[in-house]
Amino acid sequence: MLQMLANPAAQPAFPRVSSTTPEMRAVSLAGPLLPPRTVVFLEGLTRCPQYRVVDGCVATAQTLSDGRRQIIDLVGPGRLIGLGFGDQNRYSAETLGFTRLELVSDSMAQGERDQALSEMLARSQSLVMLLGRKTAPERVASALIDLSRQFGRPARDKRRGAITFHLYPTRGDLADWLGLTLETVSRCLTRLKKAALIDIRQGDLVTLLDPQQLAGIAAGDRSLSH
Amino acid sequence: MLQMLANPAAQPAFPRVSSTTPEMRAVSLAGPLLPPRTVVFLEGLTRCPQYRVVDGCVATAQTLSDGRRQIIDLVGPGRLIGLGFGDQNRYSAETLGFTRLELVSDSMAQGERDQALSEMLARSQSLVMLLGRKTAPERVASALIDLSRQFGRPARDKRRGAITFHLYPTRGDLADWLGLTLETVSRCLTRLKKAALIDIRQGDLVTLLDPQQLAGIAAGDRSLSH
DNA sequence: CGGAGCTTTGACACGACTCAACGTGGGTGG
DNA sequence: CCACCCACGTTGAGTCGTGTCAAAGCTCCG
C-alpha cells in the first residue's frame, strides 16, 4: 500500500474532487485514492514529504512501547499532514476511509507553512485541554462538533441547524483520540442518542440534532443524563 | 505588574544573565525581572509581542468557563512564549518564580520562528500522549524528567548521574499541567521519595537520584510500589 | 448461511477524585 | 520576639467515574 505513494507527483497539482467517477482511479495503480487503513508513513522512520488531504480522513498517532495508542489528530479535507522539523516522523499516519492525498512541495510558501503549523499547534492545545480537564461526555461531544466542522454538511432536516457527516473513525479510534476506552465512547454515544441530541444511522452516518446544546455539553456548561 | 512589560525594548538585545547584582533591577521599574505570579499576558486579549525566557519559569495555560485550568507548557530559559497566529492570545502566561524576560522582535528570522513552532508542536503532542494514555505515576515521572532537562544541573551527588533542579511549579501547578489533582501529585511524589528515586529538600529543591529508572517509569516500562 | 469485525450492554474492579483534617514554613504586625 | 495567619503540602477515608472483562447483537459480505 505504501508504494502507491511512491510516485504521487504524476498527478497534476490541485486535482480537486472531480465530478468524474472517482472509483475509476481506485483501480488504477497510479491513482492516489487510498483504501481504509493504509499506512501513509510511520513514526520513527525517515521523514516523508508533506501531503494535503483532498478527500477522506487521515489519523495521525503515536504509540507507546507497550502498545498504548494516542491519536494526535483526525485530518479532513484541505488540511496538511507530515509537517514538522527534524529528520524523522514524530507520529504515524493512516487513512480511516477511502482517502485521496495530494503531494505538497517541500518548498511551500513560508507563510502557508507558518499558518499550517500554527493551526496544528492550536488544535493540539485544544486536545490537551480536552484530555487534561474534560469528562468523558464532554470529550465525545467536543469530538462530534470537531468532526462536524471538518466533514459536515447541513442536514436535510433543518431543525435548529442540524448537521450530518460521515463518521470515519471507529469507536476504538475515537477512544484512542479522546483518551478513553472503546466501551466508554460507546456508552456516551448511546446517552447522546437517548437525549435526542444526535442520531446515528447505518453505523457511520451521524447527525447532530441540536448542535447548540451539544456545544454546551462540550464546554461543560450543561451535563448529560444517564 | 503588567506595566512592567510596557517598555521592555528599553533593554538592549540579549541582556544575558549578567554577573552584576540582578536584584538591582528588581527594584528598578525598567528592569524586566518579574516577581512570581506575574501575569505576562491573558488568554483572549489582543495578541502581545513575543518573549524569550532568559531566567526563571513561565506557565502558559488555558481556562474553561467553569474555572478548570490546564497548563499547556512550562517554559524554561532559552525558550519562547507568545508565538502563534491570529489576533488574540490563545492562552495566558504567568511567571512561577522570579523571571527575566527578553523581548523578541516580531520579524524574527523565519527559520528560527519555524523551528520554535515545530518544537512547541512536538512538546504539545508529547503532552497529548501523556494526558491521553499515561497513569498518574507515569505522568509525574515524565514531568520530573522534563523539568530536569529544562532547569537541571548535575548534582554534587554523582551517583548514577543524579540531577538537581529548582521546582518552580507548586503541586497545584503540576496537577493542572498533568491533568491530575493536587493530592494525586503529592501522593505520587511521596511514593517516588519512598522508592528512593527522588529527593526533595526545602520544598522546592528536587534531585533525581536514579534518572534511568525514573525514565523507565515515565515510559511505562516499570511500575511503582505503594 | 456463516464468519469477521465492530458495537452494545452488563457486572465488577480499581485508580483517581473529593472532602476533610492536620502539618509546615515564611511573613507580618502587635 | 512571639503569636498569628495564610498558602502550601501531606495524609486518610470514602465515593465515583472510567476501565476491565465477558457475552451477546448487529451488519456487511463472501
Side-chain angles (χ1 to χ4, degrees):
Chain A
M1 292 189 171
L2 268 172
Q3 65 275 20
M4 295 184 70
L5 290 168
N7 189 22
Q11 286 301 119
F14 295 94
R16 203 73 196 183
V17 193
S18 63
S19 54
T20 62
T21 60
E23 287 73 16
M24 289 298 293
R25 281 176 174 157
V27 289
S28 151
L29 211 75
L33 180 61
L34 310 173
R37 303 293 158 184
T38 305
V39 174
V40 181
F41 54 78
L42 272 175
E43 183 181 357
L45 264 51
T46 309
R47 203 154 78 78
C48 281
Q50 300 153 15
Y51 300 98
R52 173 177 286 113
V53 176
V54 175
D55 196 48
C57 180
V58 173
T60 57
Q62 290 181 342
T63 305
L64 245 37
S65 58
D66 58 3
R68 282 175 281 178
R69 183 172 81 136
Q70 176 64 47
I71 289 184
I72 301 295
D73 204 356
L74 294 187
V75 184
R79 297 183 46 219
L80 300 178
I81 56 172
L83 239 73
F85 225 71
D87 55 354
Q88 55 183 39
N89 302 315
R90 279 196 304 258
Y91 46 83
S92 304
E94 74 174 297
T95 60
L96 296 189
F98 282 97
T99 301
R100 195 180 309 279
L101 294 183
E102 163 195 30
L103 191 70
V104 174
S105 96
D106 250 12
S107 60
M108 59 189 286
Q110 191 51 255
E112 192 185 0
R113 176 182 167 82
D114 194 282
Q115 181 156 13
L117 272 177
S118 291
E119 184 195 305
M120 288 175 74
L121 183 58
R123 285 183 61 82
S124 181
Q125 290 173 347
S126 297
L127 186 56
V128 162
M129 171 58 94
L130 180 147
L131 293 171
R133 288 299 179 221
K134 290 190 180 178
T135 65
E138 288 166 13
R139 296 182 197 194
V140 173
S142 302
L144 290 175
I145 290 171
D146 183 85
L147 293 173
S148 77
R149 296 228 175 92
Q150 290 203 70
F151 302 100
R153 296 179 313 158
R156 306 269 154 272
D157 184 351
K158 291 171 188 162
R159 296 176 305 182
R160 280 184 277 204
I163 304 177
T164 295
F165 60 93
H166 178 76
L167 186 69
Y168 286 103
T170 66
R171 304 293 183 272
D173 293 328
L174 288 172
D176 285 347
W177 188 27
L178 304 176
L180 301 169
T181 58
L182 181 160
E183 294 91 334
T184 299
V185 170
S186 179
R187 280 186 254 263
C188 287
L189 288 175
T190 299
R191 285 166 64 186
L192 288 170
K193 273 187 283 190
K194 283 183 179 160
L197 294 177
I198 66 169
D199 185 47
I200 306 184
R201 289 193 208 282
Q202 302 164 202
D204 56 3
L205 194 66
V206 177
T207 302
L208 308 191
L209 299 173
D210 192 340
Q212 294 234 344
Q213 221 179 323
L214 203 63
I217 291 173
D221 294 335
R222 53 186 101 215
S223 60
L224 188 57
S225 61
H226 287 267
Chain B
M1 291 190 173
L2 267 172
Q3 67 273 23
M4 296 185 68
L5 289 169
N7 188 21
Q11 284 302 118
F14 295 94
R16 204 72 196 183
V17 191
S18 63
S19 54
T20 64
T21 61
E23 287 72 18
M24 290 296 293
R25 281 178 175 156
V27 288
S28 151
L29 212 75
L33 180 59
L34 309 173
R37 303 291 157 184
T38 306
V39 174
V40 181
F41 54 77
L42 272 175
E43 182 181 358
L45 265 51
T46 310
R47 202 152 80 78
C48 282
Q50 300 153 15
Y51 299 97
R52 172 177 287 113
V53 176
V54 174
D55 196 47
C57 181
V58 172
T60 57
Q62 290 181 341
T63 303
L64 245 37
S65 57
D66 58 4
R68 283 176 281 179
R69 183 172 81 136
Q70 176 65 47
I71 290 184
I72 302 296
D73 204 355
L74 294 186
V75 184
R79 296 181 48 217
L80 300 178
I81 56 172
L83 239 74
F85 226 71
D87 55 355
Q88 57 183 38
N89 302 313
R90 279 195 305 258
Y91 46 83
S92 304
E94 76 173 297
T95 60
L96 296 190
F98 282 97
T99 302
R100 196 182 308 280
L101 293 184
E102 164 194 28
L103 191 69
V104 174
S105 99
D106 250 12
S107 60
M108 59 189 285
Q110 191 49 258
E112 195 184 359
R113 175 181 166 84
D114 194 283
Q115 181 155 13
L117 272 177
S118 291
E119 186 195 304
M120 289 175 73
L121 183 59
R123 286 184 61 83
S124 181
Q125 290 172 348
S126 297
L127 185 57
V128 162
M129 171 57 94
L130 180 148
L131 293 170
R133 288 299 179 220
K134 288 190 180 178
T135 66
E138 288 167 13
R139 296 182 198 195
V140 173
S142 302
L144 291 175
I145 289 171
D146 183 85
L147 293 173
S148 78
R149 295 227 176 93
Q150 288 203 73
F151 302 100
R153 297 179 311 156
R156 308 266 154 274
D157 184 350
K158 291 169 187 162
R159 294 176 306 183
R160 282 182 278 202
I163 305 178
T164 295
F165 60 93
H166 179 77
L167 217 205
Y168 287 102
T170 66
R171 304 293 184 272
D173 293 328
L174 287 172
D176 285 347
W177 188 26
L178 304 176
L180 301 170
T181 59
L182 182 161
E183 295 93 331
T184 299
V185 170
S186 179
R187 280 185 253 265
C188 287
L189 288 175
T190 299
R191 285 165 65 184
L192 287 170
K193 273 188 282 192
K194 283 184 180 161
L197 294 177
I198 66 169
D199 185 47
I200 306 185
R201 290 193 208 281
Q202 301 163 199
D204 57 3
L205 194 67
V206 178
T207 303
L208 308 190
L209 298 172
D210 192 340
Q212 294 234 343
Q213 223 180 320
L214 203 63
I217 290 172
D221 294 336
R222 54 187 100 216
S223 59
L224 188 55
S225 61
H226 286 265

